[in-house]
Amino acid sequence: MAEVIKVTIWNENRHEQKNEKVRSVYPKGIHGALADGLGVQGQLEITTATLDQPEHGLTEARLAETDVLVWWGHTAHGEVSDDVVERVYQRVLHGMGLIVLHSGHFSKIFKKLMGTSCDLKWREIGEKERLWVVSPGHPIVEGIGEYIELPHEEMYGEHFDIPQPDETVMISWFAGGEVFRSGCTFHRGQGKIFYFRPGHETYPTYYNEQVLTVIRNAVSWAAPTTREYPKYGKAESLEQVPVHE
C-alpha cells in the first residue's frame, strides 16, 4: 500500500444545487465536506468529481490515478453513463478500492458489483440511529467505541438485498425499531468494497468525527496492494508433460 493514498470523492451533486436545505448543510457539497473532513490528517491525497463534469469526472486517466473511489449518489443513478460504470467496474476488479455511501446502494456500480437488487426499506422522519460495532477487531472501526449515535438520520431497514457480506462490521438500530447491516465488506477480483449506510443529505452526518473516522479507516483498508493482476487464459505448463495426440 502506498504511503499516500490517492482518493477520488464522487458525488452526483444535484441536491446541493436544487435544495436550499441541503445547500445550507453542505455549502461546499457533500463531496466538499468529505474532502475537508477526510483530509485534515494529511494522509490522503484527495480530489473530487461530480456527475455533470465531462465523463462524470471519472476519465480513464483520473481512475488510473485513483487508489480508492468514494461514491455518493441518490436521485440521478440513471444518468451515470454505462461506459463510465464499466470503467469503474474494471478498475475495482484490478484493485481499486470502492467506498459506497448511503443511497449509493442503488447506484449502477454497486448493483453491478453485487449482482442483486440492493433494495431495502426506508423512512425519512429524522429519527435516532445507533450504529453498533459488531466486529470490534476490524481495522475499519479502529478508534470507534461500542457504537456511533446519530440524533437524526433517514431509516434504512432489513431486508437489505445484497449478497452475504464477507464481513459485517456495523449494524444499525433505529428509534422506530428497524435494524440494518450498515457496514459491510466485499471483495471483487482484486478490489475491496465497503458499504457504509449513514449520510442522508439533509443531516450533517458527514461532519461527525466518528463517521469520518470510519470512512478514513475504510479508505486505508480498501487501498490496493502491489500484487500483480492474475494472468488468465491459455497457460504453458510449468513442468514437462507428455503430449498425447
Side-chain angles (χ1 to χ4, degrees):
M1 186 174 66
E3 288 186 12
V4 176
I5 302 171
K6 296 180 179 180
V7 180
T8 298
I9 299 172
W10 190 89
N11 173 29
E12 69 180 37
N13 195 37
R14 287 291 174 80
H15 290 295
E16 298 90 328
Q17 297 181 57
K18 298 179 179 180
N19 187 317
E20 180 56 40
K21 183 176 181 181
V22 177
R23 190 160 49 246
S24 68
V25 176
Y26 293 109
K28 294 184 178 181
I30 288 172
H31 54 296
L34 286 169
D36 288 347
L38 297 177
V40 292
Q41 296 184 7
Q43 299 166 336
L44 308 178
E45 184 179 310
I46 298 174
T47 57
T48 64
T50 58
L51 177 67
D52 291 329
Q53 292 175 334
E55 299 182 67
H56 313 319
L58 300 175
T59 63
E60 289 186 6
R62 167 69 68 84
L63 288 173
E65 290 295 313
T66 299
D67 296 319
V68 179
L69 177 63
V70 178
W71 190 284
W72 196 101
H74 185 204
T75 64
H77 298 312
E79 296 181 42
V80 178
S81 159
D82 290 340
D83 289 342
V84 171
V85 172
E86 179 64 23
R87 188 181 297 163
V88 173
Y89 177 77
Q90 291 299 328
R91 280 287 293 126
V92 172
L93 296 184
H94 285 75
M96 182 183 73
L98 178 66
I99 312 300
V100 176
L101 301 175
H102 191 57
S103 45
H105 71 92
F106 256 165
S107 63
K108 287 183 178 181
I109 183 57
F110 190 64
K111 292 169 73 173
K112 183 177 178 73
L113 287 160
M114 295 298 105
T116 57
S117 75
C118 300
D119 214 342
L120 45 80
K121 295 181 179 70
W122 65 274
R123 178 176 60 246
E124 208 289 281
I125 59 172
E127 63 203 273
K128 179 167 67 177
E129 176 181 7
R130 195 172 285 140
L131 296 104
W132 288 94
V133 173
V134 294
S135 183
H138 201 285
I140 286 177
V141 288
E142 179 71 27
I144 300 301
E146 288 190 320
Y147 60 86
I148 299 172
E149 187 164 308
L150 301 173
H152 305 290
E153 254 295 351
E154 180 181 20
M155 185 281 292
Y156 281 3
E158 294 287 346
H159 175 244
F160 187 16
D161 186 24
I162 53 174
Q164 183 67 30
D166 294 333
E167 303 156 303
T168 299
V169 183
M170 305 185 83
I171 293 176
S172 286
W173 167 89
F174 292 88
E178 289 83 3
V179 296
F180 191 77
R181 289 167 290 168
S182 286
C184 301
T185 72
F186 306 88
H187 290 73
R188 295 292 185 269
Q190 287 189 269
K192 289 176 278 189
I193 303 160
F194 181 60
Y195 173 75
F196 190 40
R197 197 219 71 83
H200 185 66
E201 64 274 4
T202 59
Y203 304 117
T205 299
Y206 293 129
Y207 299 112
N208 182 292
E209 186 51 43
Q210 289 183 297
V211 169
L212 290 170
T213 295
V214 170
I215 299 172
R216 197 179 294 118
N217 289 344
V219 166
S220 296
W221 170 84
T225 66
T226 56
R227 184 176 177 84
E228 290 185 5
Y229 191 68
K231 295 180 176 65
Y232 297 107
K234 184 178 180 182
E236 298 297 326
S237 60
L238 297 178
E239 312 294 341
Q240 188 170 2
V241 181
V243 177
H244 297 281
E245 300 294 339

